[in-house]
Each structure stands twice: as structure tokens, then as C-alpha cells.
Amino acid sequence: MNFEIKDNLIINNFKDVISIPTIVSSSLTYLNNKTNDDDDDQTTFGSSISCNNIGVSIILSQTDIINKINKIYQYDKTILINNKNEKIDLISSFPNEIKTSIQSISPSLLKKLLVKEISDNEYQFDIIDKYHLITSIKSKDIHKRILNDVISSSSSSSSSSSSSSSSSSSSSSSSSSSSSSSSSSSSSSSSSSSSSSSISSSSSSSSSIKWFGGLSWSPCENYITFIGDCKIKNGEEYLFKENLGEGYLNVYNPSIFILDLKKELVYPIDQFPSNKIIPGQIIWTNDGTGLVFVGWEIEKRLYGMKLCFNRSSSLYHLNFKEFLNDKFGNHSTTIATKVGTTTTTTTTTTTTTTTKIKPLHLKNLLNIKGSFRCPRFSPDGSCLIFLGFDEIIFNHNSCSKIFKLKWNATTKLDGESKEEIEVLLDYKYSNDDDEFYGIYSIGFSKNPFIDNNTIIFSESIGSINKLVSFNIKSKTIEIIQTNGIIDEKESPLSYHVYSVNLNQRIILASASSCIKPPSIYLIFLNKNDNKIKRVKEIYKPNLNSEVFKSFNYSIHKVVPLIENNNNNNNNNNNNNNNNNNNNNNNNNNNNNNNSDDNKSKSFEFIYFNNKINNDHQKKPTLLYIHGGPHINVTIEYSFALAYIVSLGYNIISPNYRGSTGYGKDFVDCLPGNIGKIDVDDCLSSLKYAFEKVDPNGIDMERISLIGGSHGGFIAVYLATKNNFKFKTAVLRNPVIDVSSSVFESDIPDCCMFKCGIPPNKQTNTYQSLPTLEEYQIMRDCSPNIQDVKIPILILLGEKDKRVSWKSQGLLLYNDLLQRNIKVKCLMYPNNGHGLIDTIDSKLDQWINIGKWLNSNC
């Protein structure tokens, strides 16, 4: 009997899955170690409780499918701890709907900042404590968008594995997952990570660090700094200036702004060289006298930035005390190091100052060519740790190093730094002896230190995000064991760290799996080691659906069973004259193509085994191919995967060679080999799953494809195969022809590099107009779409800057129409590459995907 999927099942299952709340963020809101004999001046937001307690705030986004809006709720949790018997109790408030998810807790946990958008170019900053509103400060026409990249650990997974950009986020580690549009996470947003107003948000399934960074409090809590987009200067209204690419289409001129709580003003860092440096990820020095930030260097041409870890950058220092002296005079330059309190409630509108400003002095802390991110000071302020590459790379992401810079008077004051940059953790490779294969996520949480020498973070190790500790003194990596403590031994979980508390040795983290939407845990570590002492689950979604009982999952590691026979591209026979050029260029590529001799030849895939009507009946199966290419898919919860598998499909999701999480060589072997080893690995995973994993459950006559971006590129290649007949393919913003994409993508350098074309030897850059030989190489790397003969569903974002629909998805659509091949194209206005920028696209696309598969698979 044929296995049929009814339309009502498609609708009902989608409603069940889409209604599960998404975790936007979570943070510690208070810590109290007082005993009953102490006074009751508790450090809390909420009710005072005269015992040891911990406060946690959780912000959730939930889709209202009836009214087509996303609502944002806040839960406040109080965890009561009796240290005598180690009993833990939990007190929960009712969720409150909020109008903004842009919030920030001060370092002392005594104050909270709420940011609200009043109108275009006007914002309100409310500072509150546990009792009342302290002050409300408005900024009007001071800046445009606030670039506060809110990262969700789980929402991004809904699309990251299928439609990640050509340099999109890793499902290892969100957000999220994923759009980074210049918009606010308001109650009408389309998802927990994107909306249509003008505070920027980003989703990535990586760590909780942000791309531009969030709101950063000074240690004295009198100042808050953030990144905002500057106003257009008078006379420059029509001056062409490139935007920051995919996800930041309306962002042109980012700069640093200060929210001054003492003066109740918002003002920019005057004279900031925004024509040379794009700032982000700002932190304060421990003494509060300076700012350290990432500065992406603007060279001859501005490329797309979103999730391109390879963009040239350095770390910079700004003497904030000196800046205040120059701006306001000596009487305003005292910077307290002890937190004070304010009880007066006022409302003030900012005004611009006319004080003559001296030239701004920024110090480049590194002075080496490379790409660096995520600076974090050690608790004692003795060193600065950060991530990055101390070389120029052209993969949009690869294995990162951890660096350390000693921090002292010679470092933070004017003049050249005398300290050497120390590599704490070098590149990791797939044949290394340990089980840790490097760092690929965007960074660490805001406070990653569990003690003065140890940081805690989550990182993708193969197909699982694990909790990891790293000692910056001994340079040792340790994977924190959770099996049998939080997750079951046979059902591992993927983790995401929100915050770490040094004094209490607490980790605030979420954990999820393919069949378990994210829960939030407080994880207590032992005093003398990094082993888990106890765990408290403080948030768990209410699951009434049978969806998660309909399937299970497993991870399989295989060696490719199908060797590349150089016949992947049927049009190669017409381009023999260019073979020598292609080979010569590939030899110059830093991609470790000799990796066939080591473990980078093996790869993993995740298998989702559908259990509906499990009477030994074979079921249709999907190859679900992640984009990137340099990201990966993990067992982290994805509403899209859960929804599709619940409709009666098995799913095979491979981490083909080129994916992250398996070693630098595993990433670097793909450029120059796209359309070959990535395609082979997908076919190998299908063959292995059928022969060795589930031969009685996979119907090899009903195999279909889903892929986005580079995953769509692979899917089209597979659709051209004459030796295997796929039923249909679903393509989300797919790359179709690299040779035309190079002219319209915001990352043309990545287009050329992944085809094995080296940069110019003199400039180490790519020219805007490729040579005819380079153009032919890119064409040869692309699939011959005239060999596609199966039904195709194409989903496109009208504002996709990374993969232009005009030269890519629409090219395939028109070709199939002309050849009378069944094809359908859905175009979503106001949507970028991730197709998650509006509530309509979020709801419509997956219903249509379900119906298309029902009819064609």
C-alpha cells in the first residue's frame, strides 16, 4: 500500500510544530548568597526571597498562526537553593508579553536597560531597577538603526541546514540560523530573530556572541555603548555607498554610540573613521577607562559581512577617559569603578553638543593581517583573549585559533604594544589524536569565564554541539561530560551557552536534539574541577504534539563509497581547452587537496527514521542538504526538520566534506572540488543509509532532495545524474551558475575561491571582472541545468543579496518552463537569503513544501 500524506496532516503538524515557543535569549538577572540572618536587601528583579536564590530571565518568541504575528514573552524564574541538603526549588512567574526583546542586564545585576523604537530615527532607553523606572532617555536624529544582533540558539535551526547562505551560519553551535536584517525584534516580527522594523537582529545557531555585538555596560554602570548606523551627512544624500550586504541592506555607516546615564544623553564617538573601519563587538576594559572592539577594515571594496569570518579585521582600543576629557572638559572625566545607585525618575530628550572635538586616537592592538573577533577580558584584567585567523584566508569560515594578549599599561596606553600575541589554541585537524576538532562558531558568551583561567563555551564536535572548557594557562581542552547527567547516553543533546557565572560556577545553557525542542538548564560545576555537580531544568516547552514520537535519529560516520569519476559535470566535455587552467589554479589553492590520505575523507550524516505506521513499510526519503558550504548540520532541534519528518519521510542530512566541525583540512579540501566531493558524499550517505542503516525502511524509488544556497547547488547537481533517478527537488535560494553569481553576489570573492581560482599574487585580492579563463572555470564548476528532468519547487527571497534570484533561481525556472518540465516558483517579498524575514514567508513556504512533496515524492 502506498504511503500517502494527507493535506490535513500537513496543516495540523505544521500548526503543532510552529506553535512551540522559540528561545530568543536567556540571562541571569540576580544572584543572592544571603542567609536568613542577613538583611533583606536582596539583589533581585522581582520579589525578595530571604534565602539563597538565583534569578533567570527567559525571552521566548511564539508564532500566532491565526493572526500571523510573532509574539514575544518574558518569563522570570527564581531558583531557591538550600545548600545544606542541596535541594533546588523553582518559582515561575506567568509569562508577560513584551514589545521589545532588546534588553540588557547591568554587570551588578542591579539595573536593566530596555530599548524601544518610537519612530524612524527615534529611540527610548528605559533604565529600571527592581523597584521602579530610574530614567528614560530619548535619542532623536542622533543615529539610525541600532545594530543589536539578537542571536537565538534554536530559531535559526529552522532554516540553517537547508538555506544557509553561501556563507551562512552553522547549525552547530543558533542562532540562529538565519537572518541578520536591520530590524527590531518586536511583537509583530516574523520570527524570533528577524522583523520588519529597524533595530537589527541576527540569528545564528552558533554561540551567543553577536555579529555587531549587543549593548555593553561600563563597570561603573554610568555608560552603555552600542553600534548604530550613522545618519547620512548633508550633501551626501546621493553619494553612492555600498551597504554591508546580505542581512544589512539598509546599513551603510556603522559607528560607536554612547548612552550616558549621568548626563542623560546619547552621543556618537566623534571623528570615528567609519570610512575606514566598521566597528563591532565592543567591550569595556575592566577599569572602565577604555573600549576594545573589533574593527573590520574597509579596503578598496566592501564585501558582504554577514557570517563571513574571513573579513579583514583587527582589535582596536579607544581611551574613553581621554575622549570624555576632549568632549566635555576635565570636570566630567571622573570615571567611577564602583557601582552607584540613582533613584530619581526623569525623562530627557538628547541634544547635540557643539564642543570642538580633537582628532580621535584609536590604537590597533594587533598590527597583523588577519581576521579577529570576540574579545574577552579575563576576570582579573590581566589578559585579553579572542578568536580568529592570523593570516588571510578566503574560505568564508574555517577552523579558528584562540589568541591571548597580555593587558597592562604598555598595552592600553598610547604607543606601540610591547606584548606578543600568543596562540593558546592552534588549528585542529581531522587526524588529531583528541576528540576536539576546533572552533568554528562566531564566539563565546558575554561572560565565558568560570574561573580566572577557564572559559566555558559550546562548540560543534562533528554533528553535536558539546559543552567545552578551555584553560588559558595550561592550554588544555576538556569536553564536559553530560551523558547520563542531562542527556541520555543513547540520545545526546546539543548545547548552547547563554551565560557563565564565575562566583557561583554556574552555566546557563539550553539543550536540545532533533526530537527535543530546547530546554534551559542551570548547570552547577564542582569547585575544584569542571565536572557537573548538579543540574536544574528551569524551562521546558509544553509538548502536546505526537510529532516528536513519530521519529528517532542516529549519527553515522562513513568513508565515501562513490569515488569521483570526473564526470559530474556533463558539460565538461565541451570545455577541454580550459582543463589545464583549472588544474593550475587548483594547485595554488590553500585547500589541502592531499587530504585523501587522512581522516578528512570520511564524513558524518544524521539519519531521521520515521516511525509512523512502522510495519516494515518502506518510506519516501529526503536528502536534506545544508548550505554554506562551510557550516554544518547538528542534532540541534530544527522545527523544519521535525515538521518534514513528521509527514512520513525519512531524512538523510550529510555533513559533506567542506563542512565545519571536523578539522581545518576537512573544510579546506572543498574549494576547487565543489560539485565533486560534496556531491559524492551526498550520494555516499544515501547508499550507506540504504545498505547498512535502514534497508527495510528506505524506499529507493522515492528519494527526493531539499537544499538551499550551496545545498541547492548540490541538489541541482544530483538532479542531473543519469545513473540515479530522484523524484523531485525543493530549492531555497539556490546557487545555479557560479559564473553569473559572481557579478551579483555580495561575496564574489567566495564565488571565485570555491571554484579553485586563486587571488592575484601581487594584491592577494580578486579583481571585479574575472578573466575569460576564470569565467570558464566557474562555468565548468556549475551544473548543466539542461540535464534536470525532475519536478522542481523553487523558493526565492526578493531581497536576497547573497544569491541573486534573477541570475540563479529564475534562470533554472525559465529553463524548466521552456522544456516543459514541471516547475513552481514562490517569490517572497521583503525576504533575504534565509527566507525568514516575514511571518508570511515563515508560514507559507513550509506548507507549500509539504504539499509539493506530497504530490511529487
Side-chain angles (χ1 to χ4, degrees):
M1 183 177 67
N2 292 330
F3 186 86
E4 296 182 355
I5 304 172
K6 305 298 183 182
D7 280 354
N8 61 348
L9 177 66
I10 293 173
I11 300 296
N12 291 337
N13 283 11
F14 185 75
K15 286 181 178 180
D16 286 346
V17 175
I18 202 69
S19 63
I20 298 171
T22 295
I23 300 172
V24 177
S25 63
S26 184
S27 59
L28 297 170
T29 54
Y30 61 86
L31 294 168
N32 173 33
N33 294 315
K34 295 178 180 293
T35 66
N36 292 339
D37 295 331
D38 294 322
D39 61 60
D40 61 357
D41 183 17
Q42 308 294 318
T43 307
T44 69
F45 281 112
S47 61
S48 297
I49 301 174
S50 184
C51 61
N52 296 350
N53 54 84
I54 300 170
V56 176
S57 177
I58 302 169
I59 297 178
L60 303 172
S61 174
Q62 188 165 19
T63 299
D64 181 345
I65 196 170
I66 302 300
N67 297 305
K68 290 189 176 182
I69 60 173
N70 252 47
K71 296 181 178 180
I72 298 186
Y73 296 92
Q74 179 172 325
Y75 278 90
D76 288 316
K77 306 277 188 174
T78 300
I79 298 90
L80 309 179
I81 303 174
N82 185 328
N83 288 326
K84 292 182 180 180
N85 56 21
E86 296 190 349
K87 182 181 178 182
I88 302 178
D89 294 316
L90 180 65
I91 298 176
S92 299
S93 65
F94 287 104
N96 294 315
E97 185 176 359
I98 57 177
K99 299 301 181 182
T100 177
S101 63
I102 308 301
Q103 303 184 14
S104 180
I105 306 294
S106 69
S108 68
L109 309 182
L110 286 168
K111 302 174 185 175
K112 179 188 287 188
L113 168 65
L114 304 175
V115 181
K116 302 174 184 177
E117 182 181 4
I118 305 302
S119 60
D120 291 344
N121 302 334
E122 183 177 6
Y123 294 87
Q124 179 173 308
F125 302 85
D126 291 341
I127 307 295
I128 63 174
D129 63 12
K130 65 175 180 176
Y131 299 113
H132 51 47
L133 174 71
I134 297 174
T135 186
S136 183
I137 303 170
K138 291 182 180 178
S139 68
K140 185 174 183 179
D141 297 327
I142 304 298
H143 51 79
K144 296 195 295 181
R145 298 156 193 87
I146 295 176
L147 303 179
N148 185 74
D149 297 319
V150 179
I151 285 194
S152 165
S153 69
S154 55
S155 64
S156 63
S157 301
S158 65
S159 62
S160 63
S161 60
S162 68
S163 184
S164 300
S165 65
S166 292
S167 39
S168 189
S169 70
S170 164
S171 6
S172 71
S173 48
S174 145
S175 133
S176 233
S177 107
S178 333
S179 170
S180 182
S181 61
S182 301
S183 56
S184 123
S185 298
S186 66
S187 61
S188 60
S189 65
S190 65
S191 71
S192 63
S193 60
S194 60
S195 67
S196 58
S197 57
S198 62
I199 299 178
S200 178
S201 60
S202 170
S203 181
S204 166
S205 49
S206 23
S207 298
S208 57
I209 184 65
K210 288 93 174 171
W211 195 249
F212 273 107
L215 305 157
S216 182
W217 292 72
S218 66
C220 67
E221 301 185 1
N222 290 326
Y223 306 95
I224 299 170
T225 185
F226 61 90
I227 304 296
D229 197 23
C230 294
K231 299 187 302 179
I232 298 175
K233 296 179 181 179
N234 292 333
E236 296 185 357
E237 291 86 354
Y238 303 105
L239 178 68
F240 175 78
K241 189 170 184 179
E242 188 61 82
N243 58 41
L244 301 191
E246 174 63 30
Y248 299 109
L249 298 186
N250 296 317
V251 180
Y252 295 89
N253 216 16
S255 189
I256 300 174
F257 291 82
I258 303 295
L259 174 61
D260 189 326
L261 303 186
K262 294 175 68 177
K263 291 182 170 56
E264 299 187 331
L265 295 174
V266 177
Y267 45 81
I269 297 293
D270 300 293
Q271 308 298 317
F272 188 85
S274 56
N275 61 327
K276 297 180 179 180
I277 299 173
I278 298 172
Q281 301 178 19
I282 308 177
I283 61 172
W284 292 82
T285 57
N286 286 23
D287 61 5
T289 62
L291 297 170
V292 172
F293 60 93
V294 175
W296 288 280
E297 298 163 359
I298 303 175
E299 300 181 14
K300 300 292 184 181
R301 179 180 179 183
L302 186 63
Y303 291 115
M305 288 184 57
K306 179 186 173 186
L307 298 168
C308 290
F309 297 71
N310 63 321
R311 296 299 175 223
S312 179
S313 63
S314 188
L315 300 184
Y316 292 84
H317 175 262
L318 167 66
N319 189 317
F320 184 67
K321 181 177 179 180
E322 181 182 89
F323 166 77
L324 288 182
N325 277 337
D326 293 341
K327 187 172 183 68
F328 296 110
N330 291 330
H331 64 281
S332 299
T333 61
T334 301
I335 300 177
T337 57
K338 183 178 180 180
V339 175
T341 58
T342 304
T343 58
T344 306
T345 301
T346 58
T347 300
T348 306
T349 302
T350 60
T351 57
T352 57
T353 61
T354 58
T355 306
K356 185 176 180 180
I357 303 298
K358 296 180 182 179
L360 187 69
H361 175 72
L362 298 177
K363 180 180 179 182
N364 188 331
L365 294 172
L366 306 182
N367 288 311
I368 58 174
K369 279 289 185 180
S371 306
F372 304 95
R373 64 186 188 274
C374 189
R376 292 291 182 267
F377 280 105
S378 60
D380 64 2
S382 64
C383 68
L384 181 71
I385 65 166
F386 51 97
L387 295 172
F389 320 106
D390 52 357
E391 60 180 323
I392 300 298
I393 72 165
F394 292 94
N395 285 328
H396 66 81
N397 188 20
S398 187
C399 183
S400 294
K401 297 180 180 180
I402 300 180
F403 301 92
K404 183 179 82 170
L405 181 67
K406 290 184 180 180
W407 196 258
N408 52 42
T410 62
T411 306
K412 60 185 178 183
L413 299 179
D414 294 341
E416 292 299 321
S417 186
K418 298 180 180 179
E419 303 292 347
E420 293 288 333
I421 299 172
E422 181 182 0
V423 177
L424 298 180
L425 182 68
D426 210 332
Y427 297 137
K428 307 291 286 185
Y429 295 88
S430 61
N431 57 356
D432 286 348
D433 292 334
D434 58 29
E435 297 181 357
F436 181 78
Y437 298 129
I439 295 178
Y440 305 89
S441 56
I442 192 170
F444 310 125
S445 64
K446 187 175 181 179
N447 301 301
F449 282 88
I450 199 73
D451 59 46
N452 197 60
N453 295 314
T454 307
I455 58 174
I456 303 290
F457 57 97
S458 55
E459 184 54 67
S460 173
I461 301 175
S463 301
I464 305 175
N465 301 335
K466 297 186 179 182
L467 293 177
V468 179
S469 70
F470 178 69
N471 189 292
I472 65 174
K473 186 176 182 180
S474 64
K475 302 181 183 179
T476 54
I477 280 277
E478 179 184 355
I479 299 173
I480 299 175
Q481 295 302 318
T482 58
N483 282 347
I485 302 174
I486 303 176
D487 39 340
E488 298 177 5
K489 292 183 178 181
E490 301 302 322
S491 301
L493 299 176
S494 267
Y495 291 85
H496 172 88
V497 176
Y498 290 107
S499 184
V500 175
N501 181 266
L502 179 147
N503 295 325
Q504 298 289 326
R505 294 184 61 80
I506 296 171
I507 303 170
L508 178 65
S510 66
S512 69
S513 74
C514 304
I515 57 175
K516 181 183 182 300
S519 296
I520 295 182
Y521 296 88
L522 278 177
I523 302 171
F524 300 80
L525 300 186
N526 293 330
K527 290 184 178 180
N528 300 322
D529 58 37
N530 294 322
K531 292 182 171 57
I532 295 176
K533 178 182 179 181
R534 53 185 175 178
V535 175
K536 179 64 178 180
E537 185 178 51
I538 60 174
Y539 167 76
K540 180 179 181 180
N542 184 19
L543 302 178
N544 295 319
S545 174
E546 296 294 315
V547 165
F548 302 102
K549 299 178 182 179
S550 66
F551 66 97
N552 53 30
Y553 67 94
S554 55
I555 301 171
H556 304 273
K557 190 166 188 175
V558 299
V559 174
L561 304 174
I562 303 170
E563 293 299 329
N564 175 44
N565 57 13
N566 294 321
N567 290 323
N568 288 305
N569 206 345
N570 294 328
N571 63 5
N572 279 349
N573 294 330
N574 299 322
N575 300 304
N576 291 329
N577 294 332
N578 296 294
N579 287 342
N580 291 332
N581 291 324
N582 198 355
N583 291 333
N584 291 335
N585 283 321
N586 285 343
N587 290 334
N588 294 323
N589 191 9
N590 62 339
N591 55 27
N592 290 331
N593 283 341
N594 61 349
S595 60
D596 283 350
D597 295 329
N598 60 40
K599 295 180 183 177
S600 69
K601 194 172 183 179
S602 65
F603 68 96
E604 287 183 338
F605 68 87
I606 304 172
Y607 181 59
F608 299 76
N609 177 26
N610 186 282
K611 300 187 297 182
I612 300 176
N613 298 329
N614 196 11
D615 51 0
H616 304 291
Q617 178 178 309
K618 291 189 175 184
K619 299 179 178 65
T621 301
L622 307 176
L623 263 177
Y624 198 98
I625 310 167
H626 73 69
H630 306 307
I631 66 168
N632 72 344
V633 61
T634 72
I635 61 168
E636 183 180 45
Y637 173 71
S638 161
F639 95 79
L641 285 168
Y643 162 64
I644 295 231
V645 74
S646 75
L647 300 181
Y649 298 95
N650 302 315
I651 292 179
I652 301 167
S653 190
N655 278 319
Y656 50 82
R657 282 169 288 177
S659 304
T660 54
Y662 298 90
K664 187 177 188 298
D665 51 333
F666 195 90
V667 173
D668 291 345
C669 70
L670 181 61
N673 289 310
I674 61 169
K676 298 176 183 179
I677 62 175
D678 45 2
V679 172
D680 287 349
D681 289 354
C682 290
L683 285 173
S684 294
S685 64
L686 174 58
K687 185 175 182 181
Y688 187 95
F690 174 69
E691 293 181 350
K692 298 186 178 183
V693 179
D694 192 12
N696 296 320
I698 297 175
D699 186 349
M700 290 296 284
E701 300 298 320
R702 301 175 68 190
I703 306 294
S704 297
L705 305 161
I706 298 183
S709 194
H710 187 80
F713 173 85
I714 296 173
V716 174
Y717 248 119
L718 291 169
T720 67
K721 292 289 183 180
N722 295 322
N723 58 344
F724 192 92
K725 180 68 174 179
F726 292 94
K727 293 289 290 184
T728 186
V730 176
L731 310 175
R732 303 174 70 236
N733 282 325
V735 177
I736 301 297
D737 177 37
V738 185
S739 63
S740 57
S741 182
V742 73
F743 297 108
E744 296 190 86
S745 174
D746 65 333
I747 52 170
D749 53 335
C750 293
C751 295
M752 300 182 74
F753 181 75
K754 70 181 182 180
C755 291
I757 301 171
N760 183 282
K761 290 183 179 179
Q762 283 72 38
T763 64
N764 206 27
T765 59
Y766 289 95
Q767 59 188 32
S768 297
L769 183 63
T771 65
L772 291 177
E773 291 79 11
E774 291 170 341
Y775 179 86
Q776 189 63 56
I777 290 169
M778 289 184 282
R779 185 67 198 95
D780 290 347
C781 285
S782 304
N784 184 354
I785 60 176
Q786 293 182 352
D787 290 333
V788 176
K789 299 175 182 179
I790 61 174
I792 302 288
L793 173 64
I794 305 172
L795 303 98
L796 304 174
E798 191 179 39
K799 292 189 175 181
D800 188 348
K801 185 77 170 179
R802 191 128 299 178
V803 178
S804 172
W805 54 270
K806 296 178 182 178
S807 65
Q808 302 301 304
L810 206 59
L811 176 72
L812 177 62
Y813 174 73
N814 287 327
D815 178 80
L816 296 175
L817 277 181
Q818 290 174 334
R819 294 192 288 115
N820 294 318
I821 304 296
K822 184 177 181 180
V823 62
K824 181 178 181 180
C825 182
L826 300 175
M827 177 72 72
Y828 295 103
N830 301 314
N831 270 262
H833 194 55
L835 294 178
I836 59 171
D837 297 327
T838 65
I839 192 72
D840 288 329
S841 67
K842 181 180 179 181
L843 299 179
D844 181 81
Q845 63 177 299
W846 294 107
I847 295 293
N848 272 286
I849 288 172
K851 290 184 175 182
W852 179 270
L853 292 173
N854 183 32
S855 300
N856 295 280
C857 182

